[in-house]
Amino acid sequence: GDSVTQMEGPVTLSEEAFLTINCTYTATGYPSLFWYVQYPGEGLQLLLKATKADDKGSNKGFEATYRKETTSFHLEKGSVQVSDSAVYFCALTAGAQKLVFGQGTRLTINP
Amino acid sequence: GAVVSQHPSWVICKSGTSVKIECRSLDFQATTMFWYRQFPKQSLMLMATSNEGSKATYEQGVEKDKFLINHASLTLSTLTVTSAHPEDSSFYICSASEDRGLKGEQYFGPGTRLTVT
């Protein structure tokens, strides 16, 4: 079945550091790929998405490129802020209604 | 836009009682609503998908007689945990979609923490 694997957390960085959170997937067909973010005490919010190979999703300084050849959708940000502290989920949908989530990566940014 | 609310945000109940959780789309019509369960430090596990006016589709291993889902209108879905037991304690999250979830655009509620004593 379809699945998503994220890098193990938690991840702790200093402000202005470069961030990468790895995400790889297994899917039949041609999935759409997503990154969701869950801030403390809030619901999940869509951060960015890509619907086909080589698409780059971007939002709030975060980027991720849909790499079909490596089945990856790694999340990157050049300079993180304390306000980026949250749990990040990689997810996919492959035509069916449901989203398949990775296990989540908790990110803490220290000032 | 695309706000989803849940009520209550937390609830404590005694073992054997039933608890109802509401999920509302506040500013759009939700053709499909999803119910998830999230265990501490783990991912979201889809429990069921409900399309407005239809019976919910449950994921494998989820007891439909225990977790009753109703999606009677385009803005409201309810999850009732019947005869709750301590192992049902968890964080329950709903999401809603206005395109039947086909594009993956789901809008999530803030979640309901259920504690069964």
Side-chain angles (χ1 to χ4, degrees):
Chain A
D2 298 343
S3 66
V4 176
T5 302
Q6 288 180 236
M7 66 185 289
E8 291 276 341
V11 174
T12 302
L13 296 172
S14 297
E15 207 166 19
E16 299 183 2
F18 184 86
L19 169 71
T20 299
I21 300 178
N22 290 337
C23 171
T24 57
Y25 67 90
T26 302
T28 54
Y30 303 95
S32 295
L33 302 174
F34 305 83
W35 277 99
Y36 280 84
V37 58
Q38 186 177 30
Y39 297 105
E42 299 184 17
L44 274 75
Q45 303 172 25
L46 178 64
L47 180 60
L48 54 84
K49 69 176 184 179
T51 58
K52 61 182 187 296
D54 299 325
D55 268 2
K56 177 186 284 188
S58 61
N59 185 25
K60 299 181 180 180
F62 290 89
E63 293 183 341
T65 301
Y66 189 142
R67 300 287 188 199
K68 190 170 184 293
E69 64 275 15
T70 54
T71 62
S72 65
F73 193 54
H74 304 321
L75 182 68
E76 297 182 336
K77 185 174 185 180
S79 177
V80 293
Q81 306 300 314
V82 172
S83 57
D84 294 326
S85 298
V87 181
Y88 292 81
F89 292 91
C90 186
L92 67 81
T93 183
Q97 287 181 305
K98 60 185 181 181
L99 282 167
V100 175
F101 286 91
Q103 66 269 41
T105 302
R106 182 174 299 277
L107 173 66
T108 301
I109 307 299
N110 294 321
Chain B
V3 178
V4 175
S5 69
Q6 278 185 246
H7 178 79
S9 55
W10 60 270
V11 58
I12 301 172
C13 72
K14 292 189 175 181
S15 188
T17 61
S18 295
V19 174
K20 180 184 285 188
I21 301 170
E22 292 186 349
C23 176
R24 294 182 184 271
S25 57
L26 299 184
D27 51 2
F28 66 101
Q29 293 188 325
T31 53
T32 304
M33 286 187 168
F34 305 83
W35 286 95
Y36 296 85
R37 187 170 175 176
Q38 186 179 26
F39 294 97
K41 300 184 179 180
Q42 293 187 31
S43 186
L44 282 72
M45 181 192 77
L46 180 66
M47 299 174 66
T49 302
S50 72
N51 293 305
E52 185 267 337
S54 303
K55 288 185 178 179
T57 302
Y58 290 81
E59 295 298 302
Q60 193 172 9
V62 178
E63 298 176 61
K64 62 181 180 181
D65 294 331
K66 180 168 188 61
F67 299 100
L68 301 178
I69 292 171
N70 183 281
H71 189 176
S73 78
L74 284 170
T75 59
L76 173 65
S77 176
T78 60
L79 167 68
T80 301
V81 182
T82 63
S83 187
H85 291 284
E87 58 265 31
D88 299 324
S89 298
S90 192
F91 196 55
Y92 292 88
I93 301 173
C94 74
S95 70
S97 170
E98 54 190 339
D99 66 350
R100 300 196 174 274
L102 293 176
K103 298 180 181 178
E105 295 277 10
Q106 295 182 24
Y107 305 100
F108 287 80
T112 297
R113 183 161 302 284
L114 170 63
T115 301
V116 184
T117 61

